[in-house]
Amino acid sequence: MNNQNFMEKLLEGFDVEWEPLEQVAKIKHGKDWKSLGSGNIPVYGSGGIMGYVDTYSYNKPTVLIPRKGSITNVFYIETPFWNVDTIYYTEIDDSKIIPKFFYYFIRKINLMALDTGSGRPSLTQAILNKIQIPIPCPKNPKKSLEIQAKIIRILDTFTELTAELTAELTARKKQYNYYRDRLLTFEEGQVEWRTLGEVAEIGTGSHDTQDAIKDGDYIFYARGRDPLRLNVFDFDETAIITAGDGAGVGKVFHYAKGKYALHQRAYRIVPGVVMVPRFVYHYIASYFYVYIQKASVSSSVTSLRRPMFLNFPIPVPPLSEQTRIVSILDKFDALTNSISEGLPREIELRQKQYEYYRDLLLSFPKPEVEV
């Protein structure tokens, strides 16, 4: 069924009227909350809940739209709240439009395209007031609200499914962390301990980010989470890759297998014959960041040097035990982190499905000539 036929069936021959936001809702500014007493009423800013107070600025279902900052963080609220001056709340005319219908529609809009800030993103009340809102069956308010409610029910179903999967993923991550800590914790004398420098080769690459080629033949690991491409490779091996400086310091983003190129400020850790590479990967991914933070004399580590890797202590259980541990942790890793399988993939698919139906259900016909 195409979009047009779907909407025709939904509307059952009724018209759609588009009205500017100022005709269906009033945008209200927030106020400072620092002088208010503590309580259980949430205080919203553009980033979400900032704290709790004992009074509220509004207590009806509404939509919060950021004025400054994270302007795409739109919230639907049904309980009393207080909002600060970085986020608007909306007094919605619920005889025309159901607040949650308005929420789903505003989430469909690219608010970044309405940004008027010269530095920090911002949305003005004047621009928001001009957003066109679809009102199905405007001459039959009862039917209009019924259509809106039907759309809400469908989209709520997808939203709830995604929320359930996300909660399941959170539980699985806790379970993974529990088993990871148990499997990678060894009693004194239980295994031999060595330094990473004794059991692995450690080095850097020779390339800079500007060397990247969009459609290069080989993967190019830089300092970030997203790999790049190059037409040449530096290494053909199995290695753990971590950033030498930047936001990823101490964190493991990549496990390399085969031919790859490497950034001059990214480190490759190539395990020797006494180590199973995936065991080293799991151990470093779990404990190297904490080790770096403790080993550093500063409160914030901005770059790594080779001695930091060389002195990192690592357990060396028998190869058979390393293989057993890897088989367990790899299953959890795929379930909780993989984008090609497991719950993250399922959540991604459900999110795409939600966005597809949201766009389908909210793509009301517009007049051929628009002002």
Side-chain angles (χ1 to χ4, degrees), residues 4 96 254 329:
Q4 185 175 356
K96 284 186 173 182
H254 305 293
L329 294 183

Side-chain angles (χ1 to χ4, degrees), residues 235-247:
F235 307 101
D236 186 358
E237 61 192 8
T238 298
I240 296 94
I241 310 296
T242 185
D245 58 21

Side-chain angles (χ1 to χ4, degrees), residues 7-16 136-137 143 147 364-365:
M7 294 308 299
E8 287 176 354
K9 184 176 180 180
L10 181 68
L11 293 172
E12 297 178 350
F14 289 93
D15 293 329
V16 174
C137 315
K143 183 65 178 177
I147 292 174
F364 291 96

Side-chain angles (χ1 to χ4, degrees), residues 355-371:
E355 290 172 0
Y356 169 80
Y357 279 100
R358 180 197 63 190
D359 293 345
L360 181 65
L361 290 165
L362 297 175
S363 296
F364 291 96
K366 288 187 175 182
E368 294 183 2
V369 178
E370 295 183 28
V371 178

Side-chain angles (χ1 to χ4, degrees), residues 266-300:
Y267 282 89
R268 51 186 275 271
I269 301 167
V270 184
V273 294
V274 297
M275 305 300 300
V276 173
R278 285 294 290 180
F279 178 85
V280 178
Y281 164 80
H282 283 296
Y283 197 84
I284 292 178
S286 301
Y287 300 117
F288 188 65
Y289 179 78
V290 175
Y291 161 80
I292 289 298
Q293 297 300 314
K294 289 181 178 179
S296 175
V297 294
S298 64
S299 59
S300 177

Side-chain angles (χ1 to χ4, degrees), residues 226-344:
D226 298 323
L228 306 173
R229 305 294 298 187
L230 269 180
N231 277 337
V232 295
F233 68 91
D234 301 317
F235 307 101
D236 186 358
E237 61 192 8
T238 298
I240 296 94
I241 310 296
T242 185
D245 58 21
V249 164
K251 299 178 182 179
V252 175
F253 290 150
H254 305 293
Y255 181 75
K257 294 182 71 175
K259 298 175 180 178
Y260 68 93
L262 188 63
H263 192 277
Q264 60 186 353
R265 288 298 296 133
Y267 282 89
R268 51 186 275 271
I269 301 167
V270 184
V273 294
V274 297
M275 305 300 300
V276 173
R278 285 294 290 180
F279 178 85
V280 178
Y281 164 80
H282 283 296
Y283 197 84
I284 292 178
S286 301
Y287 300 117
F288 188 65
Y289 179 78
V290 175
Y291 161 80
I292 289 298
Q293 297 300 314
K294 289 181 178 179
S296 175
V297 294
S298 64
S299 59
S300 177
V301 183
T302 57
S303 64
L304 300 179
R305 295 294 180 263
R306 194 164 175 268
M308 294 179 173
F309 291 90
L310 295 176
N311 297 325
F312 177 63
I314 187 168
V316 187
L319 290 173
S320 59
E321 178 63 8
Q322 292 183 44
T323 301
R324 184 187 74 85
I325 292 172
V326 166
S327 67
I328 297 172
L329 294 183
D330 273 354
K331 291 176 183 177
F332 278 109
D333 187 55
L335 182 62
T336 58
N337 298 314
S338 175
I339 61 171
S340 59
E341 56 183 301
L343 285 170

